[in-house]
Each structure stands twice: as C-alpha cells, then as structure tokens.
Amino acid sequence: MNPAQQTVNRLRGCAVGALSASTGIAAHGMAGGAVPGTSSLLVMVAACVVLGETVGTTLRRPAGWFTTSACLAFGQLVAHLSLTTLDDATAHGHHGVGAVTPTMAAVHLGVTVVGAVAIRVGETAIPAVLTAIVAALRQVLDPPTVEAPRLDRLFAVSDARRSLRAVAALDTRGPPLMAG
C-alpha cells in the first residue's frame, strides 16, 4: 500500500474514533443526561478507539462519502449504546436506552454530516500538509549540505610539506659499526 494512503487511512480512523466519542458525550448531555459514570466513559472510549483503529487499518482504498458517514454513524451508535446501557438511567437522569429525543437525533445527524465533510476535506489536504511539515523540518534538522570553510583557506599559511625533503631515502650510509 502507498505510505501516503496508509497515513491518510490511519488519520481517518483517528478522526472517526475521536468524533464518535466526543459526539456520544455531547449528545448524552444535550438529551438531558448528567455526567456519565467513569466505567461507562472508559468502555465508550475503548469502544471508540477500537472502532477508529479498525477503520484506520482495514480500509485499503480511499473511503467515499457513504463509507465515511457510515463509519461515523456506527461509531456514534456504539458510543450511545455504551453510555446508556452501562449507566443507571435513574441515577443519572438519562433519557433511557430506547428514547431518542429530537435534540439528540439532530446532534448525531449534524455531527455525522459535518464530520464526514471535514474528514473528506482533510483526506485531500493531509498529504500536502504533511509534505510541507516534513520539508520545513528538513530545513531545520538536516545538517547543512555546503561544507564549512576550512581555516587554512582563510589564513595564509605556508605549507610545511614543501620544505621537507626525503633525505633518508637518498642516503647510502649503513648502520653504525659495533666498536669492538
């Protein structure tokens, strides 16, 4: 798979999971529910994370409008069911599992449409944005390609190698004789 498309797929999964979780909580509150319990929040977040990971890794081609909207709608259903079935409806003053208020339905529908549009627009912009970020980081983090100036080129220094001669190679004298 193309690495750019794989990155876009992963980011789509992150967006679907995050929008599903946040919308589930928002619709819960707008429908008259109080703050959900910790256990139901944890289960809802875990379910949305699993959904986002599944969406990000299983789709092998770019998702269309219908697929993106269906993933968001399913994620909101998972979030809603995990919040309503795990919470005690009387303790939190929730609307109950079966009752769907018009406000909650409008929030879910609105977020599905707006989220699908945002995800689809983001999918086309992500490769360009990531390419610009990588190009900017390379300018900052990569070492310079031009060599640093050498100090011997900045200051006039006589080359000591020219004054040295290989005298030892021309000498025919042998080792000293032992006195004795």
Side-chain angles (χ1 to χ4, degrees):
M1 177 186 289
N2 181 5
Q5 185 60 45
Q6 188 176 10
T7 301
V8 169
N9 288 348
R10 297 267 177 153
L11 290 174
R12 180 189 314 115
C14 290
V16 166
L19 280 172
S20 298
S22 61
T23 306
I25 294 172
H28 183 83
M30 290 182 157
V35 176
T38 305
S39 62
S40 62
L41 276 176
L42 289 175
V43 169
M44 184 211 54
V45 168
C48 290
V49 167
V50 169
L51 174 71
E53 181 65 23
T54 304
V55 168
T57 56
T58 57
L59 295 177
R60 296 286 180 204
R61 59 183 175 84
W65 291 99
F66 180 75
T67 305
T68 304
S69 298
C71 289
L72 281 172
F74 182 71
Q76 291 176 29
L77 178 68
V78 166
H80 177 77
L81 289 177
S82 65
L83 283 177
T84 57
T85 56
L86 293 176
D87 273 345
D88 182 15
T90 59
H92 290 288
H94 196 269
H95 54 275
V97 177
V100 176
T101 64
T103 304
M104 181 182 65
V107 169
H108 281 300
L109 181 63
V111 169
T112 299
V113 172
V114 171
V117 169
I119 288 172
R120 293 292 296 156
V121 168
E123 285 178 3
T124 58
I126 287 292
V129 169
L130 291 179
T131 302
I133 290 171
V134 168
L137 288 176
R138 280 192 177 156
Q139 293 293 326
V140 174
L141 298 177
D142 280 350
T145 56
V146 179
E147 286 188 26
R150 292 177 46 181
L151 293 178
D152 62 344
R153 292 183 184 160
L154 294 177
F155 304 105
V157 177
S158 62
D159 192 3
R161 293 178 292 179
R162 293 183 186 159
S163 64
L164 296 176
R165 293 184 20 203
V167 177
L170 300 176
D171 195 2
T172 56
R173 182 175 167 211
L177 290 175
M178 297 294 283

